Amino acid sequence: MSNQLTADYNNSPTCTINQQSAVKQVNNFVSSDSTDHLPISNDNYPVDFNLNVRNSRDTTVDTRGKELIELCLGNQIRLLNGRTLGDSLGKYTCYNHMGTSVVDYLLASDSLMQNILYFNVSTFNPTLSDCHCKLSWKILSHHFLDIIPQPNSKVMGSKFKWQENSPQAFQSALQDKDSKNLISHFDTSSDINELAVKLNEILLTASKKCLRRPSPPKKSSRKIYTNKKFFDIDLIKMRKNVVSYAELYSKYPNDPYIHGRFYKLLRQYNKSRKYKKRKFREDILNQLDNLECNNPQVYWDLVRKLKESDSCDPSENIAADIWLDHFKSLNSLDNRFKKQFF
């Protein structure tokens, strides 16, 4: 049978091997290795560390398995199958008509093996492979973010509106006394950052004198939420979520996730709103039963709350003289038609 390597173990610290070979509980490291057997002291000799005995449910050892062991011994590569958390028994990795065997291995360098946190052989799934199981592992890694200091910079400043007559006006502003004074102090022998600041000041000074600034954007007058008594902070948050997903749904109407999420939030919002409204009315009715005779003032206050009608401000009523002038004008004859009757 042919063997297939799915990673380059010479250039990568970890690799997976899909090889039609079986490796029994044979050490893939030099047991009790040391530098005592060397005739002279050599600090460059890599000493193998003693590892746990590797377990395997596959009890067969063939020629290709022995070749894999020799490869691991010569390059200080370790087999993780059967000796790592998650696969301490050496599970089968291949299921076919000839039987079961362990032919898929995870290899790691001696230094990286200490950072392998977990290794697992998944249950055989025929939709992923014809006969092989999926191998998965977790590696401990340390991330360091190199923060590069940014040079000091200043924002250009306010924006200006450029119109048809702006070129002539801007040139005239540069001939102004203040602009000429700034230009005269513009020394090209200075630092580049200092020159950029001075140039920015010259342009801003001239722009403020001749160019118009765009008007600020108008604030939205849309009412965000209602001011009903039962509409508490929870309903406000739920309504904001519904509105935000409604905007997404209008942009991406064919997205199944946004579609389902929007209608789910809408159902939850409507259900909570109806429940809180019903609970609010029930609480007021319960209080009315106890306050009708004991405290009439509080009783009528609760009745007004129950009506949920906004109180009218008397100061906003139309004056009587305005009403009088209005009805007088209705009965008066327009000047255009007076000549026809008089």
Side-chain angles (χ1 to χ4, degrees):
M1 298 182 182
S2 61
N3 59 337
Q4 178 185 3
L5 298 181
T6 59
D8 184 7
Y9 43 78
N10 290 324
N11 298 325
S12 176
T14 63
C15 70
T16 56
I17 289 186
N18 175 12
Q19 178 169 324
Q20 297 297 332
S21 63
V23 181
K24 199 181 176 183
Q25 294 92 335
V26 180
N27 289 338
N28 61 326
F29 62 93
V30 179
S31 180
S32 302
D33 191 16
S34 66
T35 58
D36 297 338
H37 62 281
L38 298 177
I40 57 176
S41 177
N42 189 356
D43 296 335
N44 295 327
Y45 175 77
V47 179
D48 284 358
F49 298 100
N50 288 330
L51 304 175
N52 297 330
V53 177
R54 194 181 67 85
N55 300 317
S56 179
R57 292 184 177 180
D58 192 351
T59 59
T60 304
V61 181
D62 57 10
T63 303
R64 295 189 182 277
K66 293 179 181 179
E67 292 176 355
L68 180 59
I69 291 295
E70 293 295 332
L71 174 68
C72 295
L73 287 172
N75 296 275
Q76 285 194 321
I77 298 175
R78 308 296 175 234
L79 292 171
L80 272 67
N81 300 59
R83 61 156 55 104
T84 313
L85 179 64
D87 184 35
S88 58
L89 300 178
K91 299 178 183 178
Y92 292 114
T93 63
C94 181
Y95 296 83
N96 55 23
H97 64 282
M98 298 179 61
T100 56
S101 60
V102 180
V103 297
D104 301 279
Y105 302 97
L106 177 65
L107 309 183
S109 61
D110 203 3
S111 58
L112 184 63
M113 189 175 178
Q114 309 300 325
N115 295 328
I116 302 295
L117 303 178
Y118 180 81
F119 171 71
N120 180 48
V121 179
S122 302
T123 306
F124 174 66
N125 188 352
T127 60
L128 297 179
S129 176
D130 55 347
C131 60
H132 298 282
C133 298
K134 183 183 72 172
L135 305 183
S136 57
W137 62 93
K138 184 183 293 185
I139 302 177
L140 176 64
S141 61
H142 301 279
H143 299 278
F144 298 96
L145 181 62
D146 295 333
I147 301 177
I148 302 175
Q150 298 293 334
N152 295 330
S153 59
K154 292 187 177 181
V155 184
M156 181 65 183
S158 303
K159 296 181 179 180
F160 297 93
K161 196 172 182 180
W162 195 262
Q163 298 175 337
E164 294 182 359
N165 60 342
S166 296
Q168 295 80 8
F170 189 73
Q171 292 177 5
S172 301
L174 289 176
Q175 301 297 326
D176 188 76
K177 180 180 179 181
D178 296 335
S179 299
K180 286 185 176 181
N181 186 25
L182 293 175
I183 295 174
S184 62
H185 291 83
F186 191 80
D187 187 7
T188 56
S189 61
S190 303
D191 182 64
I192 184 64
N193 294 326
E194 184 179 352
L195 291 177
V197 173
K198 290 183 178 180
L199 179 61
N200 185 21
E201 186 178 359
I202 294 172
L203 297 177
L204 284 178
T205 302
S207 300
K208 290 178 181 179
K209 292 184 178 181
C210 63
L211 301 180
R212 291 179 55 188
R213 297 184 181 182
S215 57
K218 296 181 180 180
K219 295 183 178 180
S220 176
S221 59
R222 184 180 63 180
K223 193 174 182 180
I224 299 178
Y225 46 82
T226 182
N227 57 353
K228 295 183 179 180
K229 301 295 183 181
F230 65 89
F231 212 87
D232 56 4
I233 188 65
D234 294 333
L235 288 177
I236 293 174
K237 292 180 179 179
M238 294 178 68
R239 190 177 188 278
K240 286 183 178 180
N241 289 335
V242 172
V243 171
S244 62
Y245 267 92
E247 294 176 354
L248 283 176
Y249 185 51
S250 62
K251 293 181 180 179
Y252 310 101
N254 297 326
D255 193 316
Y257 174 78
I258 297 177
H259 173 85
R261 184 65 176 169
F262 167 69
Y263 282 104
K264 181 179 179 180
L265 292 175
L266 183 61
R267 287 193 299 268
Q268 293 176 352
Y269 167 72
N270 290 331
K271 185 177 180 180
S272 300
R273 180 174 55 83
K274 292 178 181 178
Y275 170 76
K276 289 182 180 292
K277 182 178 181 180
R278 183 173 64 252
K279 189 72 168 56
F280 174 77
R281 295 175 66 89
E282 290 177 356
D283 293 342
I284 292 181
L285 291 175
N286 293 333
Q287 295 179 31
L288 288 176
D289 293 339
N290 301 324
L291 294 175
E292 184 175 2
C293 299
N294 299 334
N295 196 337
Q297 181 64 33
V298 178
Y299 173 81
W300 288 110
D301 291 341
L302 291 175
V303 171
R304 283 191 290 271
K305 285 184 180 180
L306 191 61
K307 290 181 179 180
E308 295 183 353
S309 59
D310 298 332
S311 59
C312 298
D313 188 2
S315 61
E316 297 179 357
N317 295 336
I318 301 176
D321 54 347
I322 297 177
W323 280 113
L324 180 61
D325 295 339
H326 171 70
F327 285 106
K328 282 183 178 180
S329 63
L330 293 178
N331 297 324
S332 61
L333 187 62
D334 195 294
N335 295 329
R336 294 177 298 174
F337 305 104
K338 284 184 178 181
K339 294 181 180 180
Q340 299 179 7
F341 299 98
F342 300 101

